[in-house]
Amino acid sequence: MNTPNRGTPLTAVIKEKIAASERHGVSDDGKKLSAIPFHQYMTLCLYHPEFGYYRAGTSRVGREGDFYTSAFVGDIMGEQLASELSKLAGQWFAEDADVEIVDWGGGTGRLSRQMLDAWNSEERPKTSALGKAFRLTVVEGNPEHRRLASEQLAAYVQFGQALVVEEWDRDSLGKNPAIIVANELLDAFPTHRLVQRNGKLLEWGVAVSEASGSLIHCLMKPEDPRLAAWMSEEGTTLADNQTVEVNLDAAEWVAGLAGRLTKAILVFIDYGDDSSELLAPHRMDGTLLCYYNHRAHNDPFFLPGGQDLTSHVNFSHIRRCAEASGWRELWYGSQKRFLMESGVMEKLSSHALTDPFHPTVRKNRAIRQLLLSDGMSELFKVQIFIKKE
């Protein structure tokens, strides 16, 4: 997608950061320019307190936003997840334990409502491990998403079974076991972008063109020692001109949870793959994508702060950091496999209905969409970790 470099209120902020930077990069035409790492640029675009994509007061998900999540494909994902979390709680936590469910980055609360509806359904087995002794907290930084989540969960909030907050206060929970659900959260962390050029490992940066005043790519020397350490841990060398994203922030967030939790389960649902796929020779340009008005393109300088920037999650990296911090991986596989093993096929119903809006028809269609549509069910992965005292 060839897009114009459109300015926004955030553009001026970014240019000021670049002008004040003590670091430099080299542009495609060989000019040495003041620059900031792409990681810093992405952080400003997504999380600037006033103009950042995930901080501005508009909804970013659903029909009026820029993308959909699996929670918008019927209620199936929430129902199956609720069933599996109940089983996990019964297997790993004491029978009489009060379980804290945390939907981290829970957006507008759709997935949380689906899980709560499932747990409170008359069809829920009375022996459910969660029973009534749990509370769900939605942690969400976007103020408009928090408002919508509060509306979605109003009945549950009223009865003390749900809470919507900007930040999660673990200290207020005592020593209750916790289940952290992160649905399309890890891909929202800003990433570093590395590239191999003429035998040297360099980092992509952002500068301002002297000719046009537009934001442009440049190459910088990587100063964060963790980047070289990451390459060493991967045990691989990039091909010449190959780019890769390194999500240090997501991995550190996962590792940091270990220090805040004693009995907990982590559930990640996101698009991505293992290192063997993400570093493969055919992945020359990395996986960075931009989403605007439900269209994907590859221009990160289009509408700074007004579009989503994201990259595939490296689940090998997440696994390494999690296990080094005391987590143990319980399960990893595609979303399709997760849904199949959770019994989703049992919810398909034979019928002769012709009304496309009939609940039975809609449920069947949602199941097929989650399992088959555009290969997304294979691209999305589910990764589950456990940590016990």
Side-chain angles (χ1 to χ4, degrees), residues 85-229:
L85 294 188
S86 183
K87 294 175 185 176
L88 287 171
Q91 181 179 359
W92 294 101
F93 301 147
E95 185 176 348
D96 60 346
D98 290 344
V99 180
E100 297 286 344
I101 311 294
V102 182
D103 185 0
W104 209 304
T108 60
R110 286 180 68 99
L111 184 66
S112 288
R113 181 189 55 75
Q114 292 166 7
M115 290 190 292
L116 286 163
D117 287 349
W119 284 322
N120 286 277
S121 168
E122 292 182 1
E123 298 177 2
R124 176 174 55 82
K126 300 304 180 183
T127 57
S128 169
L130 292 178
K132 296 181 180 179
F134 76 97
R135 182 181 69 169
L136 187 148
T137 300
V138 173
V139 179
E140 174 55 51
N142 184 304
E144 177 63 8
H145 286 180
R146 286 200 305 275
R147 185 188 69 79
L148 294 172
S150 296
E151 291 181 357
Q152 284 264 4
L153 305 173
Y156 294 111
V157 171
Q158 180 181 355
F159 288 103
Q161 202 175 1
L163 188 66
V164 180
V165 299
E166 181 175 3
E167 295 181 359
W168 187 49
D169 181 12
R170 170 59 186 169
D171 294 335
S172 67
L173 302 178
K175 295 185 177 181
N176 292 340
I179 299 177
I180 312 295
V181 177
N183 181 40
E184 295 193 50
L185 173 69
L186 298 183
D187 69 90
F189 282 88
T191 64
H192 297 265
R193 304 190 77 218
L194 300 180
V195 62
Q196 189 84 358
R197 282 287 174 90
N198 301 318
K200 293 183 178 180
L201 187 66
L202 300 173
E203 181 174 10
W204 285 107
V206 178
V208 179
S209 168
E210 292 181 340
S212 65
S214 299
L215 298 172
I216 58 172
H217 291 290
C218 67
L219 292 175
M220 312 173 68
K221 292 182 179 179
E223 292 188 353
D224 192 327
R226 297 174 301 168
L227 295 173

Side-chain angles (χ1 to χ4, degrees), residues 70-382:
S70 57
F72 281 79
V73 184
D75 294 333
I76 296 298
M77 194 65 198
E79 292 175 3
Q80 299 307 112
L81 190 57
S83 174
E84 291 306 299
L85 294 188
S86 183
K87 294 175 185 176
L88 287 171
Q91 181 179 359
W92 294 101
F93 301 147
E95 185 176 348
D96 60 346
D98 290 344
V99 180
E100 297 286 344
I101 311 294
V102 182
D103 185 0
W104 209 304
T108 60
R110 286 180 68 99
L111 184 66
S112 288
R113 181 189 55 75
Q114 292 166 7
M115 290 190 292
L116 286 163
D117 287 349
W119 284 322
N120 286 277
S121 168
E122 292 182 1
E123 298 177 2
R124 176 174 55 82
K126 300 304 180 183
T127 57
S128 169
L130 292 178
K132 296 181 180 179
F134 76 97
R135 182 181 69 169
L136 187 148
T137 300
V138 173
V139 179
E140 174 55 51
N142 184 304
E144 177 63 8
H145 286 180
R146 286 200 305 275
R147 185 188 69 79
L148 294 172
S150 296
E151 291 181 357
Q152 284 264 4
L153 305 173
Y156 294 111
V157 171
Q158 180 181 355
F159 288 103
Q161 202 175 1
L163 188 66
V164 180
V165 299
E166 181 175 3
E167 295 181 359
W168 187 49
D169 181 12
R170 170 59 186 169
D171 294 335
S172 67
L173 302 178
K175 295 185 177 181
N176 292 340
I179 299 177
I180 312 295
V181 177
N183 181 40
E184 295 193 50
L185 173 69
L186 298 183
D187 69 90
F189 282 88
T191 64
H192 297 265
R193 304 190 77 218
L194 300 180
V195 62
Q196 189 84 358
R197 282 287 174 90
N198 301 318
K200 293 183 178 180
L201 187 66
L202 300 173
E203 181 174 10
W204 285 107
V206 178
V208 179
S209 168
E210 292 181 340
S212 65
S214 299
L215 298 172
I216 58 172
H217 291 290
C218 67
L219 292 175
M220 312 173 68
K221 292 182 179 179
E223 292 188 353
D224 192 327
R226 297 174 301 168
L227 295 173
W230 181 86
M231 288 298 302
S232 177
E233 291 169 2
E234 288 294 336
T236 188
T237 301
L238 299 178
D240 200 45
N241 294 320
Q242 184 178 14
T243 292
V244 66
E245 288 80 26
V246 184
N247 200 331
L248 298 176
D249 292 2
E252 287 196 345
W253 178 78
V254 173
L257 285 175
R260 302 172 64 185
L261 301 167
T262 54
K263 299 177 183 178
I265 292 170
L266 293 180
V267 181
F268 300 131
I269 306 168
D270 228 312
Y271 48 89
D273 222 310
D274 286 325
S275 292
S276 58
E277 166 62 24
L278 298 179
L279 294 172
H282 66 274
R283 292 278 191 182
M284 290 299 292
D285 297 323
T287 63
L288 181 73
L289 280 176
C290 313
Y291 286 91
Y292 178 71
N293 197 23
H294 295 283
R295 295 182 64 190
H297 64 93
N298 60 2
D299 182 2
F301 304 132
F302 170 74
L303 219 60
Q307 66 170 350
D308 191 20
L309 305 180
T310 181
S311 64
H312 287 19
V313 175
N314 186 321
F315 287 102
S316 298
H317 186 200
I318 297 299
R319 182 182 298 114
R320 272 202 316 272
C321 291
E323 292 179 345
S325 304
W327 297 100
R328 179 164 69 86
E329 189 176 68
L330 288 178
W331 199 92
Y332 172 71
S334 68
Q335 176 180 286
K336 179 178 181 178
R337 182 181 147 212
F338 174 82
L339 289 170
M340 295 285 285
E341 291 186 6
S342 70
V344 72
M345 296 298 289
E346 298 173 7
K347 294 188 175 182
L348 282 172
S349 302
S350 299
H351 64 83
L353 299 166
T354 58
D355 179 5
F357 300 106
H358 188 279
T360 298
V361 179
R362 293 178 65 180
K363 175 165 279 192
N364 282 358
R365 185 166 59 243
I367 292 173
R368 288 195 299 270
Q369 188 173 346
L370 284 173
L371 293 179
L372 302 175
S373 63
D374 300 327
M376 294 300 287
S377 63
E378 294 289 352
L379 176 61
F380 273 75
K381 306 297 189 299
V382 178

